[in-house]
Amino acid sequence: MEVNEILQMNKESWEKSAERFFGRAALPEYGPLAPREDQLNLLGNISNKTVLDIGCGSGHSLKYMAINGARELWGLDLSTKQIETATSLLHDQPVPVSLFESAMEEDPGLPENYFDIVYSVYAIGWTWDLKQTFSNISCYLKKDGIFIFSWEHPIHDRLSYKDSEYIFQKSYVKEGPELNEAWNNTAVTYQRKFSTYINTLIETGFSVEKIIDDVVLPESITDDPAKWYSAQKAQLVPATFIVKAKKR
Ligand SMILES: C[S@@+](CC[C@H](N)C(=O)[O-])C[C@H]1O[C@@H](n2cnc3c(N)ncnc32)[C@H](O)[C@@H]1O
């Protein structure tokens, strides 16, 4: 499949599913079964900061940034529906809001050396070009600006629940585009080793400050072990990882 076909397939998939995700995968949460920003305090003081959300979805994370005093809110997302929803969610903010319908692999004309914080909650793994995406983010950030992102842990979907047990079903080391099972194979995401994320950050001008793959389990574990993000599975492997990096 050509890259343009993949982007188009993913866009169509997001236009259909966007509503299901409104307000999900948004700050202060970083993702399923993971610690939250109010526990981690990775962002620090947001007051007066200029922030950019990569894969901003329905705009709920940007709203969190506004509530915490951000000076300017910027976001980009591939999906028309997500940008429309984010525009309406953020229409009455007292600070400037700039939203772009764009793939993160492309620069929709964002200012360089401008942002204090760039972040992305559960969107980075959709990129077909990690190096280009991280290079763009590095350009947008001021020196010493911070970049925080979360995504599904690369080990998570290697393990499947079959016949009442978890089995290691796919290769961890094989990288590349895959039809995404959690999306009923109607979208393509990219399998990457954990080291690929970290080494690509280093290659594109970042120093890594913190990596979090702790698991936060509910008090009682009652859900279906076959569920995509189940607490049972999280007892074996993390569902989410979070990285904080700084532009060198
Ligand atoms: C789980 S959602 C993120 C939700 C968001 N964190 C929030 O606060 O609402 C993932 C987002 O990534 C977007 N996306 C998928 N592929 C993309 C790409 N190549 N470039 C930009 N955005 C993309 C989707 O449209 C979707 O809105």
Side-chain angles (χ1 to χ4, degrees):
M1 236 179 165
E2 298 288 318
V3 163
N4 280 349
E5 286 173 307
I6 291 177
L7 268 185
Q8 191 52 34
M9 181 180 182
N10 286 354
K11 182 170 163 59
E12 279 165 22
S13 222
W14 270 104
E15 303 304 3
K16 283 191 207 127
S17 324
E19 244 159 296
R20 201 155 53 85
F21 284 88
F22 288 169
R24 280 172 61 190
L27 289 169
E29 291 183 15
Y30 280 111
L33 300 151
R36 296 159 47 108
E37 170 59 16
D38 33 18
Q39 297 165 294
L40 297 169
N41 193 21
L42 296 176
L43 290 161
N45 183 5
I46 298 163
S47 183
N48 245 356
K49 299 280 163 58
T50 299
V51 305
L52 167 65
D53 187 332
I54 303 291
C56 65
S58 52
H60 287 81
S61 295
L62 282 168
K63 189 160 187 187
Y64 172 87
M65 289 297 200
I67 290 165
N68 285 285
R71 182 176 50 199
E72 288 177 33
L73 307 173
W74 296 66
L76 67 79
D77 199 284
L78 183 65
S79 150
T80 312
K81 183 115 190 205
Q82 295 281 51
I83 290 295
E84 281 170 5
T85 309
T87 304
S88 114
L89 184 82
L90 301 167
H91 81 278
D92 56 357
Q93 292 304 318
V95 293
V97 179
S98 310
L99 300 173
F100 297 82
E101 184 184 319
S102 168
M104 64 180 96
E105 298 83 352
E106 286 154 23
D107 173 2
L110 290 165
E112 290 185 8
N113 300 310
Y114 190 75
F115 295 92
D116 301 297
I117 302 174
V118 179
Y119 66 93
S120 179
V121 179
Y122 257 73
I124 286 293
W126 290 96
T127 184
W128 56 269
D129 191 338
L130 190 67
K131 191 164 182 187
Q132 185 62 57
T133 298
F134 283 176
S135 287
N136 293 349
I137 292 168
S138 179
C139 277
Y140 307 145
L141 273 170
K142 291 177 184 165
K143 185 175 180 309
D144 293 330
I146 65 163
F147 172 40
I148 297 173
F149 74 95
S150 64
W151 179 244
E152 185 177 285
H153 198 289
I155 200 84
H156 179 264
D157 84 336
R158 309 292 94 184
L159 210 59
S160 306
Y161 191 73
K162 291 247 161 71
D163 304 326
S164 306
E165 61 177 354
Y166 288 105
I167 53 165
F168 208 91
Q169 217 199 357
K170 293 184 193 164
S171 162
Y172 172 78
V173 291
K174 189 168 164 270
E175 300 192 287
E178 288 182 359
L179 282 167
N180 190 308
E181 279 179 56
W183 284 68
N184 298 323
N185 298 335
T186 57
V188 172
T189 47
Y190 286 74
Q191 168 65 10
R192 297 181 173 100
K193 293 181 291 175
F194 193 71
S195 56
T196 298
Y197 288 99
I198 302 306
N199 289 330
T200 309
L201 278 172
I202 294 165
E203 280 167 33
T204 51
F206 290 96
S207 50
V208 175
E209 299 228 311
K210 194 152 192 168
I211 298 170
I212 291 133
D213 60 2
D214 297 331
V215 167
V216 176
L217 294 171
E219 271 176 27
S220 67
I221 297 182
T222 51
D223 54 0
D224 176 359
K227 201 172 104 176
W228 191 260
Y229 294 117
S230 79
Q232 287 91 335
K233 189 169 177 179
Q235 289 176 299
L236 303 175
V237 294
T240 300
F241 75 100
I242 309 163
V243 177
K244 177 175 178 178
K246 188 185 259 191
K247 177 171 170 177
R248 293 195 300 266

